[in-house]
Amino acid sequence: MRTIPTRRRGFMYSAWLPYAGAIIFAVFIFIAPGLLIAVTLRQRGIAALGIAPILSASTVAVGSIAAAKLGVRWSIFVPFATALFIAAVGWAVMSLAQRFGWADSYRWLGVSEQPVERAQWSSRVSWVTYGAIIIGALLLIRQVVNGIGLPENLPQTYDVNFHVNAIRYIAEEGNASSLTLAAMTGGDEVFYPGVWHAFAALVYMYAGTSVIASANVVTLVISALVWPVSLMYLVRVALNLNIVGIVGAGVAAASFSSFPLVLVFYGVLYPNALGLAIIPAAFAMGAQLVRVCATRYLSSTSALYLLFWSSIALALAHPNTLMSWLLFALPLIVIRMVLQCVAMVRREVPVRQGILQLVLLSLYPIVLGVLWNIVRPLKHAGPWGPKLSDSQAWGEMLGNASIGVGSILIVISAFTLIGAYTLIVRKDKGRWVVASWLLVGLFFVMARSLAWEEERYFWVGVWYHDHYRLAALLPIFAAPLAAYGVQTAWTYVRTKLAEWKLPAVAVMTVTTLLFVGAAVQTQRSHPMTAMTHLSYANYVMTEDSLLLSTDEKDVIDHIPEYVPQGETLIIQPYTGSSVIYAYTGYNVTAKHVLYTPTPEVETINRGLKNALTDPKVCEAVRAAKAYYYVDFGTKQVDNVFSNQYPGFIGVKRSGVLTPVYTKGKVGLYKVSAC
C-alpha cells in the first residue's frame, strides 16, 4: 500500500515563490504575441485579452513549423515574428475589406445588421471582468498548487516520459515543429501536436528553470490564466450578463473538477489541456461570425480571418480539440440556418440570396463529416470501453460527477441547470450554449456507456474512446450556463427578500452572504477536495512511486558524477528511466515507451546479458556509445511487463555489468564486458 505524504500547504505555496519569474515569463509568452495581433485588429479590453492566448498559440504553431523549414532555431523571437506577420496581413485584409465595403457585410452572414461594439480597456464592466478573472485565477492557483505540490514534482503517469523529454529535445535541437517532433522517439519524422511543448521549451530556455518545473509552470499558467481568460471572453460574447453574472463566471471557471484539474494529472494530457483552455475563444469567434451572440466585438472579416489562425492553433495543440470545436459549434450553424429560413419566409432576405446562404452554411456539416473519418487516432490507440448504463451516464453529466470520486457537484450543477432553463424560457440568443452543452453531454454519455458493437469507435474514437477527455469539455459550456444561473438566482432572491419589506442594505447583505457561501461550497465540496488529493497522489514522489521513486531519483542525481558527457544510457523505458534525458541531458536508448529502436539498440535490448559470449552485443554497445546501464527494477508505469527486453532479464547476474552507484534495489552499472 503506497503511503502518500501529508500536504504541507504553506510550504508548498512558498516553494513556488522562487519560480515567480518563470511564471511571469510564461504569462508573457501566452499573452503578448496574440495581444499584438488583437490590438492591430482594433480589439481592446476583454475583446483583446480573450483572444490573445489562442492567437499566441497560433503564432507558436505556425512559427515553429516555419522556423524549422527556414533553418531558424526555435527561440522567443519566432512567435513574435510570426505575430507581426499575422498582424500585418490582418491589417491589410481589413483595409481592403473596408475599402470595398465588405469589412462587416451582413448580406451573406446574417438577416440584419448587429453592430460591432468596442470594448474598453478601462470601464466599469471592464474592471469587473478583470476582477472576475482574478478571482477565478486565484481559486485555480490554489487548486493546481494543491494538486501538483512542489514545482519539481513529476506526475507519475505513462505519457509524461514523452512530454518532459520533448521539452529538452526542442531546446537542444532548436526545432519545435509539430511535423517533426515525433522523430525524438526514432523512426520517421511524423506529426505530433507540439504547441504545448514549444511553449514549455521557451520557459525552460529563458526562465532558468528545470525541465520538470517548466512543465509545471506552464500547467499552472494554462489552468489559472489561459482558461479563465478564454472562458470569460466566451461568456461576454455569448450571454447578456450583469456584474453578478460576470463575477459568477469567474467563480464558475474554478468550480468544475473535470477541468482543468483532471487533465493536470490524468494521462498526463498536457496538449489536450492547452487545446481545451483556448477553445472557448474559438466558440466565441464562431458565434460572432454567424451573429448568434449577445455581443459582437469582431467584424465579419476579422472573425473569419482570426478563426483561420485559431483553427491551426487548435489542430496543433491537439487534433481532438479541433474536432471538438467543429462538432460542438454545430448548433451555431443549425440555428443560423433556421434563422435564415425564417427570414426568407418573412421576406427579410430575398429567396435567391437566402438559398445561397443556406448552401454556404450547409458546407460546414459536409466538411465536418469528411474530417470526422480522417482526424482520429487508430482504434487500438484508445482501449477504454463502456463503464455505465446510459441513464447513469446522463446522471453523471447533469450532476458534473467527478469520475473516480463518485459524487456530484451539487451547487455548481444547480446553477448550471437554472441557467440552461432560463436561457431556453427567455429565448435568449445564448440558447446555442445549452444546445452545445447537451451535445457534449450526449458524446460523454456515449463514451461512458456505448458498446463496441454499437459503433463506439465511430462516435467517440476522436477522443480515444476516453470519457475523461469528454468530461473535460463539459465545463466549457456548463460554466457560462452556471454564470447565467447565478445571475438569475441572485435576481430572484433579491426580489423575494425585497418583498418582505427588508431594508435595501439588509437585502444586499443577506443575498451577498448566501452567494459567497455558495461560492465557498464549490471549492470545499467533497468532489473538488478528493480530486485535488488524487492529483497530489499522482505527483508526489515516494519510495514506491509508479514511475519514479525516491531511490530512482537519487540514482539520476548521481549519474553526472560517474558517466562522461556524450554517453548513452541503456534503459528499459517502461520503468520510468526514460526521464533521465529530461533530468540530465544524457541520451537514453528510448525516450518514450513507444519508440523505434535503432538496430544497435535492438541488439542491446535483446542480448545485453549475452555480451560475454555474443560479440555482436559489444559491437552494438560500442556503436551506440552505450557503456552504462540503468536498472530501475521491474515495476512499470503501465503495470504490464514488456517482452521487448529479454536481454535485461537476469543481466545483473550474468557478469557483464559492474555496479557504479546503487541505492536500494536500483542503480547505475557499467557494461564492463565491453
Side-chain angles (χ1 to χ4, degrees), residues 65-94:
I65 293 175
K69 294 292 185 182
L70 296 172
V72 177
R73 288 187 63 84
W74 179 241
S75 73
I76 192 174
F77 302 106
V78 173
F80 278 97
T82 308
L84 286 172
F85 170 78
I86 295 174
V89 173
W91 180 85
V93 168
M94 285 299 300

Side-chain angles (χ1 to χ4, degrees), residues 240-366:
N240 285 303
L241 292 182
N242 59 22
I243 289 174
V244 172
I246 293 172
V247 173
V251 177
S255 297
F256 294 88
S257 58
S258 57
F259 187 77
L261 198 55
V262 163
L263 299 192
V264 167
F265 76 93
Y266 174 71
V268 61
L269 304 180
Y270 291 140
N272 230 145
L274 171 59
L276 295 188
I278 60 178
I279 201 174
F283 285 114
M285 291 182 201
Q288 293 173 85
L289 178 63
V290 298
R291 313 214 178 177
V292 184
C293 58
T295 306
R296 286 182 65 226
Y297 297 119
L298 293 171
S299 66
S300 303
T301 303
S302 56
L304 197 58
Y305 179 75
L306 293 178
L307 272 174
F308 169 75
W309 296 107
S310 298
S311 64
I312 297 175
L314 292 174
L316 300 188
H318 200 293
N320 76 36
T321 57
L322 173 67
M323 296 307 299
S324 298
W325 170 57
L326 292 173
L327 175 63
F328 300 127
L330 196 57
L332 285 168
I333 305 301
V334 173
I335 291 172
R336 182 74 268 164
M337 294 177 77
V338 171
L339 291 174
Q340 297 304 90
C341 291
V342 172
M344 284 191 291
V345 171
R346 293 176 177 175
R347 299 184 183 277
E348 295 172 356
V349 172
V351 174
R352 188 175 299 178
Q353 180 179 316
I355 292 175
L356 175 61
Q357 293 167 346
L358 291 174
V359 169
L360 290 173
L361 289 167
S362 66
L363 293 176
Y364 187 95
I366 293 173

Side-chain angles (χ1 to χ4, degrees), residues 364-382:
Y364 187 95
I366 293 173
V367 171
L368 173 61
V370 172
L371 293 177
W372 188 254
N373 292 291
I374 298 174
V375 185
R376 59 173 56 222
L378 298 174
K379 184 176 181 178
H380 62 76

Side-chain angles (χ1 to χ4, degrees), residues 127 543 608 639:
W127 286 109
E543 61 183 13
L608 182 62
N639 294 320

